[in-house]
Amino acid sequence: MTAERPHPLMRPRDGHEAAVSYVELLFDLIYVFAIIQVSHFLLDNLSLLGAAQALLLWFAVWLGWQYSGWMTNWFDPDTTPVRLVLFVTMALALMVAAALPEAFGSRGLVFAGCFAAMQVGRSLFILWSLRGHGLADLTANYQRILGWACIGAVFWLAGGLAEGPMRLGLWALAVACEYVSPMFGFRLPGLGRSYTRHWNIEGGHLIERCALFMIIALGETILITGATLAGVGDWSLGTLLAFGVAFLETVAMWWVYFHIAIRDASRVITESDDPGRIGAYFHYVHVIILGSVILCAVGSELVIAHPLGHLTSTVTTVLLAGPMAFLAGMAIYKFVVYGRPPLSHLAGLVLIPVLLLSLTASHSPLLLQGASAVLLLGVGAWEMLSRRDRIRL
């Protein structure tokens, strides 16, 4: 089959699934560091305000990656101009990640300026490259994306210059500009709106990119688990059990994510009458799934450091919120794939708070995380058995 390439920088469409390139894998390495920075920020700021700040920073990390992921779904990263744009984006993203711990302190303007330059610069390059190629829908789409990136940049830079609660509020508006605007087609006065049916995406590539980011997030939990154990002076039985439980929880999340729905997700996008809409749904929900994995990593570090310590309300909240957010995100993900959420995931969402809260009165952080890990494994086993006629073990 002859490859269709309507633009010299765009990926050819030859009927085969587009492969993830090596430069995209290199690009993802920046986000290994970024995720570690987010988790460490939350660990250092375990309060309601700290959680809100960490959530906002995580949205910024995800949005930077997400918009680049859409770009490389349309444009070929093995062409020199696109590759150069990715290298520049990587450098800016690395600066964003390096500034992240002090984003609400002395490095707020550096964080905001690099993020805004990354988002605006990417869209400017694409619009420049599209000139004279007659791709009206894609050009108009990126004009609107650029418009919202510029609006967001104003809020990012204004927040970087502000201090205290004002910075948090302005940056929340900046995140909304880029996360919410696709929900109504990047509508702007004078430019109209975009329609997802015009987004000719490659479903297999998009799903694989999201799955690779999931591997990065799970890898971060493994790094934190190993590093925390290495930093503990006395490897007591409780510490070693906490290490085993943290690893078990990571395996359980991998199983629930990868074992079944990942096989069908790209097919759902490919066969859809509106693949762009389905692809957008997957990106919306992954901010929840991946964020929950980061939260679980934070919980693992807390438990390994003090497996039999006093169970505070903060630790209880972290140990509850991580698995619940993960199951909620996965339930939505599988609703998009299969048209209904798995009963196993809904049952898990009910059982986690019931089970874990019943243990908080007289038991340790280790037992709480152990119970959640076993429950996640149970959810995976239930789903596997309920769909055993659809999968090959």
Side-chain angles (χ1 to χ4, degrees):
M1 182 181 293
T2 302
E4 177 189 352
R5 191 191 288 264
H7 182 285
L9 298 183
M10 293 186 75
R11 283 185 180 271
R13 303 297 192 192
D14 57 4
H16 297 92
E17 183 175 308
V20 174
S21 68
Y22 293 121
V23 71
E24 289 176 281
L25 297 177
L26 179 65
F27 179 85
D28 286 351
L29 291 180
I30 302 297
Y31 288 87
V32 175
F33 177 53
I35 288 178
I36 290 173
Q37 292 286 74
V38 173
S39 63
H40 285 176
F41 179 92
L42 181 56
L43 273 166
D44 293 338
N45 299 273
L46 280 174
S47 64
L48 188 60
L49 175 61
Q53 291 173 337
L55 180 63
L56 190 149
L57 295 173
W58 162 237
F59 264 92
V61 168
W62 171 247
L63 286 169
W65 183 91
Q66 173 186 311
Y67 277 83
S68 294
W70 280 86
M71 181 188 77
T72 56
N73 194 278
W74 280 314
F75 293 87
D76 189 351
D78 286 331
T79 58
T80 298
V82 175
R83 184 174 290 176
L84 290 174
V85 170
L86 284 176
F87 289 154
V88 173
T89 303
M90 287 168 60
L92 289 169
L94 188 58
M95 286 291 293
V96 167
L100 191 149
E102 289 296 324
F104 287 94
S106 60
R107 294 176 181 164
L109 191 58
V110 174
F111 177 89
C114 289
F115 182 84
M118 179 171 62
Q119 298 297 86
V120 172
R122 184 193 308 108
S123 296
L124 281 172
F125 163 78
I126 291 173
L127 284 173
W128 172 81
S129 72
L130 288 172
R131 293 178 308 164
H133 289 278
L135 298 170
D137 289 334
L138 189 59
T139 299
N141 184 53
Y142 266 97
Q143 287 173 341
R144 300 175 189 114
I145 291 175
L146 176 61
W148 279 105
C150 289
I151 296 170
V154 172
F155 288 120
W156 282 114
L157 294 174
L161 294 168
E163 295 182 357
M166 182 64 72
R167 179 174 294 181
L168 181 64
L170 288 168
W171 283 0
L173 290 173
V175 164
C177 285
E178 298 192 56
Y179 186 73
V180 177
S181 59
M183 298 180 186
F184 51 88
F186 303 105
R187 185 186 294 275
L188 281 171
L191 292 177
R193 62 159 296 164
S194 300
Y195 293 93
T196 52
R197 63 177 178 271
H198 297 149
W199 297 354
N200 180 28
I201 65 170
E202 214 300 309
H205 175 265
L206 185 145
I207 294 301
E208 187 177 2
R209 295 292 287 123
C210 289
L212 288 171
F213 204 119
M214 181 64 174
I215 290 291
I216 290 172
L218 291 173
E220 190 261 348
T221 69
I222 292 173
L223 286 173
I224 281 187
T225 299
T228 307
L229 179 65
V232 174
D234 178 20
W235 283 14
S236 64
L237 178 60
T239 298
L240 294 176
L241 286 173
F243 167 79
V245 164
F247 181 75
L248 188 67
E249 186 176 60
T250 301
V251 171
M253 289 188 289
W254 176 90
W255 191 15
V256 172
Y257 183 94
F258 283 98
H259 190 59
I260 294 178
I262 196 73
R263 303 165 185 262
D264 297 320
S266 60
R267 175 187 55 79
V268 168
I269 295 179
T270 303
E271 296 178 358
S272 171
D273 295 332
D274 193 349
R277 180 178 296 275
I278 303 299
Y281 288 160
F282 282 127
H283 269 195
Y284 285 134
V285 73
H286 269 83
V287 75
I288 302 172
I289 297 170
L290 297 166
S292 70
V293 176
I294 296 172
L295 196 54
C296 287
V298 171
S300 294
E301 182 161 353
L302 293 171
V303 174
I304 294 173
H306 303 286
L308 303 176
H310 178 61
L311 191 58
T312 66
S313 59
T314 299
V315 174
T316 301
T317 300
V318 171
L319 293 178
L320 276 171
M324 287 189 67
F326 176 74
L327 284 179
M330 290 306 304
I332 299 170
Y333 180 93
K334 291 172 184 179
F335 174 80
V336 175
V337 176
Y338 298 114
R340 60 182 178 84
L343 182 59
S344 58
H345 292 45
L346 300 180
L349 280 171
V350 173
L351 288 175
I352 283 179
V354 171
L355 175 63
L356 299 189
L357 288 176
S358 69
L359 299 174
T360 57
S362 58
H363 293 87
S364 65
L366 172 59
L367 186 59
L368 280 178
Q369 190 180 32
S372 69
V374 170
L375 197 148
L376 286 174
L377 285 173
V379 167
W382 182 349
E383 184 182 29
M384 181 189 73
L385 292 173
S386 67
R387 297 185 183 275
R388 60 184 178 275
D389 57 330
R390 296 175 56 92
I391 61 175
R392 183 175 60 192
L393 299 179

